Amino acid sequence: MTTILFASPTDWPAYAGPLPAALASAGIGARIVQPGEVAPEAVDYIVYAPSSSLQDFTPYTGAKAVLNLWAGVERITGNTTLTQPLCRMVDPGLTEGMVEWVTGHTLRHHLNLDRHIVNPSHVWDQTCTPLARERPVAMLGMGELGRACTRALTALNFPVTGWSRTPKDIPGIPVLHDEDGLEQVLRQAEIVVTLLPKTPETENLLDARRLGWLPRGAVILNPGRGPLIDDEALLAALDAGQVGHATLDVFRIEPLPAAHPFWSHPKVTVTPHIAADTRPSSASNVIAENIRRGEAGEPFLHQVDRARGY
Ligand code: NDP
Ligand code: OXD
């Protein structure tokens, strides 16, 4: 059986050790090849990064599934040449990374750490910050990553309210949905975390009207996708003091163009899409398990509903 890796040039050395090892421990004898090494019709599984050169899946007539290396699938769900099942990445290492990014940036703003880190005038500011239990957080998106971040933040006593497309029953965590629920979640949130996929329904979700629902000075952390927020509306809300700070990891165009106002805005922190990388050591186990399932005729893990868009 042949698995082909269509990813970035750095992915090949990163997966060359862990992927064969994970396949072997799942009891699968698979040959892993790079593009061009075998005829497309001989390929059984495609391990895929949407940034790779493969955009036309038509020649891969024997492929049983496309296993995405990324959690986000917005660059592939609309590809009409892809007729096989598409699975997205749910990787324990990636999740751990996202929990660390979200927790770190939440604590930065919650504790107002910047005032001590950047203090050129040596101001002796002893202002007492509220406790985490007094700092409501909105988690927009209660999927794999939103739920994991919620667990970490609630362990630190932050009161987290979730928002998702469908209702959820999570002990101790209110999860709202629909437009009314979104208004309710945003109206009480001092910190908002956006962990939603990019779909036609979520694009510009945080627009001027909804940003106006936030308590004045609320902070936004966006590790989800750039288009979840209307850039112009966010800049206006920052300038007006309606939003106190935005820490953004993802953008409409990446890398963020040098002239984009986010780079120089004093109330914006840009991180370069590094919130949570897929980790080859743990992700290889997920890929191997899905190949095992494919070969055993069992349902794939994390199969994308392409009509829904995630
Ligand atoms: P999941 O698919 O597990 O969760 C998505 C969540 O969004 C679900 O709770 C879903 O609701 C909710 N959702 C989707 N559409 C809507 C809608 N229209 N209205 C309300 N809620 C909606 O995804 P993950 O948690 O694994 O990942 C989330 C996103 O994080 C990814 O799509 C990707 O864009 C981003 N990401 C960013 C990374 C980075 O490094 N910056 C790394 C990895 C991911 P429901 O539960 O009802 O289905
Ligand atoms: C992902 C990402 O979707 O890195 O995995 O953003």
Side-chain angles (χ1 to χ4, degrees), residues 27-62:
I28 297 157
R31 182 173 163 231
I32 300 160
V33 298
Q34 296 192 70
E37 280 187 48
V38 292
E41 58 274 15
V43 169
D44 296 284
Y45 294 92
I46 302 175
V47 177
Y48 182 69
S51 57
S52 80
S53 58
L54 177 60
Q55 300 301 326
D56 180 7
F57 291 88
T58 319
Y60 293 87
T61 47

Side-chain angles (χ1 to χ4, degrees), residues 59-218:
Y60 293 87
T61 47
K64 297 166 200 162
V66 172
L67 308 174
N68 202 40
L69 284 171
W70 300 2
V73 288
E74 72 280 0
R75 284 166 70 168
I76 185 175
T77 46
N79 187 327
T80 51
T81 69
L82 174 62
T83 51
Q84 296 86 350
L86 167 66
C87 302
R88 69 186 201 93
M89 180 50 70
V90 176
D91 163 31
L94 182 154
T95 302
E96 224 176 297
M98 185 60 84
V99 166
E100 291 178 12
W101 188 95
V102 167
T103 307
H105 288 280
T106 299
L107 287 173
R108 169 194 171 192
H109 294 294
H110 165 61
L111 295 173
N112 196 2
L113 291 178
D114 293 15
R115 79 189 149 144
H116 302 303
I117 292 170
V118 185
N119 186 9
S121 311
H122 302 172
V123 177
W124 192 258
D125 178 359
Q126 290 188 308
T127 312
C128 181
T129 49
L131 293 172
R133 69 178 74 254
E134 297 160 331
R135 184 85 74 189
V137 174
M139 189 65 66
L140 306 188
M142 288 295 284
E144 291 292 332
L145 300 177
R147 286 199 310 274
C149 292
T150 297
R151 279 194 294 277
L153 294 178
T154 52
L156 292 170
N157 288 337
F158 287 100
V160 180
T161 305
W163 184 73
S164 59
R165 194 178 55 84
T166 56
K168 302 258 175 298
D169 190 8
I170 304 178
I173 309 294
V175 182
L176 308 182
H177 52 281
D178 295 337
E179 185 77 2
D180 287 352
L182 182 59
E183 179 168 358
Q184 217 177 306
V185 175
L186 291 182
R187 283 207 183 275
Q188 50 84 55
E190 291 184 24
I191 298 178
V192 180
V193 184
T194 47
L195 271 168
L196 297 155
K198 178 189 175 279
T199 68
E201 286 72 36
T202 61
E203 193 154 357
N204 289 324
L205 184 87
L206 292 184
D207 58 8
R209 185 173 63 93
R210 294 179 183 124
L211 290 172
W213 290 340
L214 290 167
R216 194 169 169 76

Side-chain angles (χ1 to χ4, degrees), residues 101 105 108-109 112 114 190 192 211 215-222 229 231 233-249 251 256 260-271:
W101 188 95
H105 288 280
R108 169 194 171 192
H109 294 294
N112 196 2
D114 293 15
E190 291 184 24
V192 180
L211 290 172
R216 194 169 169 76
V219 165
I220 295 175
L221 311 182
N222 183 17
I229 307 181
D231 286 6
L234 176 60
L235 287 164
L238 287 161
D239 289 339
Q242 169 60 12
V243 173
H245 196 98
T247 296
L248 310 173
D249 185 58
F251 305 92
L256 184 65
H260 197 288
F262 284 159
W263 278 118
S264 54
H265 200 289
K267 294 180 183 171
V268 175
T269 300
V270 170
T271 65

